[in-house]
Each structure stands twice: as structure tokens, then as C-alpha cells.
Amino acid sequence: MLKPEFIDCTATLAATTESTQNEVIKELTHSLLATRASISPKYFYNTLGSKLFEAITLLDEYYPTRTEAGIFHANYGNMALAIVQAGISNACLIDLGAGNCAKSAALIPHLKPRQYVPIDISVDFLREASGNLQANFPELNIVGIGMDFSKTLQLPAAVQNHDRVFFYPGSSLGNFSPEDALHFLQQIAHPSQGNAGGLFLGIDLVKNSAVLEAAYDDAPGVTAAFNKNVLLNINELLGADFDLRQWRHVALFNAQKSRIEMHLQAIANTTVRWAENKRSFLAGEQIHTENSYKYTLDSMTALLKQAGFSQVQHWTDTKEWFGVFWASKSGS
Ligand code: AVJ
């Protein structure tokens, strides 16, 4: 059995921990003091937040995870065929936001990649997951990478630079604005990632707003807890004194911008303090915590082509609630 290689790009400089902490404090202080206060959705995922997100994926109302799984399940053969048709025979499967590597573990027997590269910001979690995966695929070359790929997609030399097949499931791209999504996709399509190669992308689709809003405001209140938990994380990161009982969860579909917005709304006038800062909120005032953009089959096809992919195809479910796209740079 091979041993997974592991490259931690989150800790290349010994001094990063402290400077990263300062960056976080600066960024959060700035966004909380802005006229329209906001918190980046990356702060949802502390330990409790990650557990709450897992719980969200089990909710009746939250259809994306299980719909995507159904599409994968029905199309593994087609996905394998698609990469062959793109001229890829020794794929390097690059898993963006691999987490527990479960989605890839199901894909690997079908795609038979030569190398598997799980990438995640959560380094310790990934180290364990890639070790477990190696036990299931003893001969697979695995190179785990701890890095924040939303900033740069420059991969270390240990990653094979031909036949790169990127895997970006879970509608994670929906957290980017369309401009940032284009920029991110352009990096994947760029010749520096190799001349032949492609991307499997899972993205949530526009649909009836009642269905969308229920998925982000479920009856048991799990998404509300997930949203409010961001304040606990901010209290910890900033030493702030947010009182969660002063805040209510709001989720609405902004049809014009084609996105679900999540906000936290102040129930009464309230003041929050951290370090030498304070911010007062009037009753009804909101903190914007997340955008989750929804695409159509056509709008995502157009975006992928605009990003530089020459061939784009998709698979969907019977209700067309979720799309899995294959975008490649060459082949037919
Ligand atoms: C992880 C960004 C895909 O937008 O559906 C779920 C996050 N937020 N419920 C999504 C989320 C509220 C999720 N993504």
C-alpha cells in the first residue's frame, strides 16, 4: 500500500498564524462597521458550524446534496466516458474542497485516475481523510494539499500537470459573485493547468422561490441555527459580545440577482462591542451573511464557455433542480 503525500500550504511561513489572525480581525471589523454590515460566509464553518452544515444536508427541505448525489449515481458511466472523449487517459483528479473525500471515493472506481489530489483549507481533517482513502485504494497516488484555493489555484509541482480533471461539487461555486465565479473558472481553464483537462461542476439551479426559500429556512430551524452560529464564531474570533437571542434568521430569494440571501436581523435595538470598537443596530437592521447564486442550465453553460472551456455538457435530475456539468478544454 502506498502512503499519501501531504503538502500543507497553509503553514508555509512560520509567522502566518499571527498575521492571519490580524487579517481576520481587520476584515471582520471592517465589514461589521460598514453602513451595510456583513460577515463572510467562510466564518460559518467552525466546529459547530461544520456539524450544522452536515445536518442541513440531511433536511427534507435541503434538496441540493441528495439531488446531486442522485445525478452522480445515475451518470458515473457517462462521466467516465466524457473524460475519455476529451482525450484524457491518465487523469489527475483534483478535488476542490475535498472535506471527508466521500464524493470522490465514489467517483474514483469509475474514473480510475492516475493521481488523486484532495485540497481543503481544513488541514487536519484532510490529512485523516486522505489516509482513510488510501486504505480503500492502496495503489492510488494521493497528494493531499492544505490550502485556501479561493485565493490562488497555483498547485505545487508534485501535482501532475497534464490531464487535470477538477472536481468542484456541492454548489460551492454559488458563494462567489458571478464575476468572481468567472475569474475562478478562468483559472481552472487556464493553459497553466495543462492543455487537456476539464472540470466536473455541481451547481444548484433556479427554481420556484418557495422551494428555494424553504431549503434555506427549514421548519426544524437548523439553517437558522447555522446562520446564528456565525455570531458565536465572531464572538470567539473578535472577543465580541453578540447576544444570539437578539437576532433572527432571514432567508429570501432575490430573483433579480438570482441568489438566495441570508441575513441576521436585529429583533430590537442592540449594541455590539469588541476591542475598542462598537456597532449599534436598530431593530430590523440586518447583517448580510451569505449569497448563494442559482444558475440556469443555459447561464452556467455560457459562463463555462466564457471562462475558456470549449466543450460543455451537463446532466440533471428529472425536475431540473440541480446541474452537474462537464467542461473540457479540448476533445470532442
Ligand atoms: C455550501 C455554499 C453550497 O449555498 O447551499 C446551506 C451553504 N447555506 N444552507 C449553499 C448553505 C445555508 C451551501 N453551500
Short mmCIF file of all heavy atoms in Angstrom, two decimals, residues 14 44 65 68 78 88-89 105 146 149 171 185 209 301 311 314 329:
data_model
loop_
_atom_site.label_atom_id
_atom_site.label_comp_id
_atom_site.label_asym_id
_atom_site.label_seq_id
_atom_site.Cartn_x
_atom_site.Cartn_y
_atom_site.Cartn_z
N ALA A 14 6.28 30.38 9.06
CA ALA A 14 6.04 30.13 10.49
C ALA A 14 5.23 31.26 11.10
O ALA A 14 4.47 31.07 12.04
CB ALA A 14 7.37 29.98 11.21
N PHE A 44 -18.84 30.69 8.76
CA PHE A 44 -19.84 29.73 9.25
C PHE A 44 -19.20 28.47 9.82
O PHE A 44 -19.76 27.82 10.68
CB PHE A 44 -20.75 29.26 8.10
CG PHE A 44 -21.82 30.24 7.70
CD1 PHE A 44 -22.06 30.50 6.36
CD2 PHE A 44 -22.61 30.87 8.65
CE1 PHE A 44 -23.06 31.38 5.97
CE2 PHE A 44 -23.61 31.75 8.27
CZ PHE A 44 -23.84 32.00 6.94
N THR A 65 -27.92 18.46 -1.87
CA THR A 65 -26.95 17.39 -1.64
C THR A 65 -27.46 16.06 -2.19
O THR A 65 -26.75 15.36 -2.92
CB THR A 65 -26.64 17.26 -0.13
OG1 THR A 65 -26.33 18.56 0.37
CG2 THR A 65 -25.48 16.33 0.12
N GLU A 68 -27.86 16.10 -6.12
CA GLU A 68 -26.57 15.95 -6.79
C GLU A 68 -26.08 14.51 -6.69
O GLU A 68 -25.60 13.94 -7.69
CB GLU A 68 -25.53 16.89 -6.16
CG GLU A 68 -24.17 16.77 -6.83
CD GLU A 68 -23.12 17.63 -6.16
OE1 GLU A 68 -22.89 17.47 -4.94
OE2 GLU A 68 -22.52 18.48 -6.84
N ASN A 78 -21.32 7.78 -17.70
CA ASN A 78 -21.25 8.90 -18.65
C ASN A 78 -20.10 9.84 -18.31
O ASN A 78 -19.47 10.43 -19.21
CB ASN A 78 -22.56 9.70 -18.63
CG ASN A 78 -23.71 8.90 -19.21
OD1 ASN A 78 -23.50 8.09 -20.11
ND2 ASN A 78 -24.91 9.12 -18.68
N ILE A 88 -8.55 12.21 -22.35
CA ILE A 88 -7.83 12.07 -21.07
C ILE A 88 -7.76 10.59 -20.69
O ILE A 88 -8.79 9.92 -20.61
CB ILE A 88 -8.58 12.86 -19.97
CG1 ILE A 88 -8.56 14.35 -20.31
CG2 ILE A 88 -7.96 12.60 -18.60
CD1 ILE A 88 -9.53 15.18 -19.48
N SER A 89 -6.55 10.11 -20.50
CA SER A 89 -6.43 8.68 -20.14
C SER A 89 -5.76 8.48 -18.79
O SER A 89 -6.03 7.50 -18.10
CB SER A 89 -5.69 7.92 -21.23
OG SER A 89 -4.53 8.64 -21.59
N ALA A 105 -14.51 9.42 -3.35
CA ALA A 105 -14.34 7.97 -3.11
C ALA A 105 -15.30 7.18 -4.00
O ALA A 105 -14.95 6.12 -4.51
CB ALA A 105 -14.56 7.65 -1.64
N GLY A 146 -3.20 21.10 1.80
CA GLY A 146 -3.93 22.02 2.67
C GLY A 146 -3.73 23.42 2.14
O GLY A 146 -2.64 23.97 2.21
N PHE A 149 -7.84 27.53 -1.73
CA PHE A 149 -7.74 27.63 -3.20
C PHE A 149 -8.58 28.77 -3.75
O PHE A 149 -8.48 29.08 -4.93
CB PHE A 149 -8.12 26.29 -3.85
CG PHE A 149 -9.50 25.81 -3.51
CD1 PHE A 149 -10.61 26.32 -4.18
CD2 PHE A 149 -9.70 24.87 -2.51
CE1 PHE A 149 -11.89 25.89 -3.86
CE2 PHE A 149 -10.98 24.44 -2.18
CZ PHE A 149 -12.07 24.96 -2.86
N SER A 171 -22.35 22.76 -5.25
CA SER A 171 -22.80 24.13 -5.50
C SER A 171 -21.97 25.16 -4.72
O SER A 171 -22.44 26.27 -4.47
CB SER A 171 -24.29 24.30 -5.16
OG SER A 171 -24.84 25.39 -5.88
N LEU A 185 -13.27 30.21 -12.53
CA LEU A 185 -13.35 29.22 -13.61
C LEU A 185 -12.26 29.46 -14.66
O LEU A 185 -11.71 28.52 -15.22
CB LEU A 185 -14.73 29.26 -14.27
CG LEU A 185 -15.90 28.82 -13.37
CD1 LEU A 185 -17.24 29.09 -14.05
CD2 LEU A 185 -15.78 27.34 -12.99
N SER A 209 -39.44 29.96 -6.12
CA SER A 209 -38.78 30.59 -4.97
C SER A 209 -39.22 30.00 -3.63
O SER A 209 -38.46 30.01 -2.67
CB SER A 209 -39.00 32.11 -4.99
OG SER A 209 -40.36 32.39 -4.82
N THR A 301 -23.82 27.12 -18.71
CA THR A 301 -23.11 26.73 -19.93
C THR A 301 -22.38 27.94 -20.52
O THR A 301 -21.19 27.86 -20.87
CB THR A 301 -24.12 26.17 -20.97
OG1 THR A 301 -24.78 25.05 -20.39
CG2 THR A 301 -23.41 25.72 -22.25
N GLN A 311 -15.76 22.73 -24.72
CA GLN A 311 -16.86 21.76 -24.74
C GLN A 311 -17.57 21.80 -23.39
O GLN A 311 -16.91 21.69 -22.36
CB GLN A 311 -16.32 20.34 -24.95
CG GLN A 311 -15.42 20.16 -26.15
CD GLN A 311 -16.22 20.15 -27.44
OE1 GLN A 311 -17.38 19.76 -27.46
NE2 GLN A 311 -15.60 20.59 -28.52
N HIS A 314 -23.98 18.71 -19.74
CA HIS A 314 -24.49 18.61 -18.37
C HIS A 314 -25.41 17.41 -18.20
O HIS A 314 -25.91 16.84 -19.17
CB HIS A 314 -25.26 19.89 -17.99
CG HIS A 314 -26.49 20.11 -18.81
ND1 HIS A 314 -26.54 21.01 -19.84
CD2 HIS A 314 -27.70 19.50 -18.79
CE1 HIS A 314 -27.73 20.97 -20.41
NE2 HIS A 314 -28.46 20.05 -19.79
N LYS A 329 -11.36 21.37 -22.13
CA LYS A 329 -10.59 22.34 -22.91
C LYS A 329 -10.30 21.85 -24.31
O LYS A 329 -9.93 22.60 -25.16
CB LYS A 329 -9.28 22.64 -22.18
CG LYS A 329 -9.51 23.42 -20.91
CD LYS A 329 -8.20 23.94 -20.37
CE LYS A 329 -7.67 23.04 -19.29
NZ LYS A 329 -6.45 23.61 -18.68
#
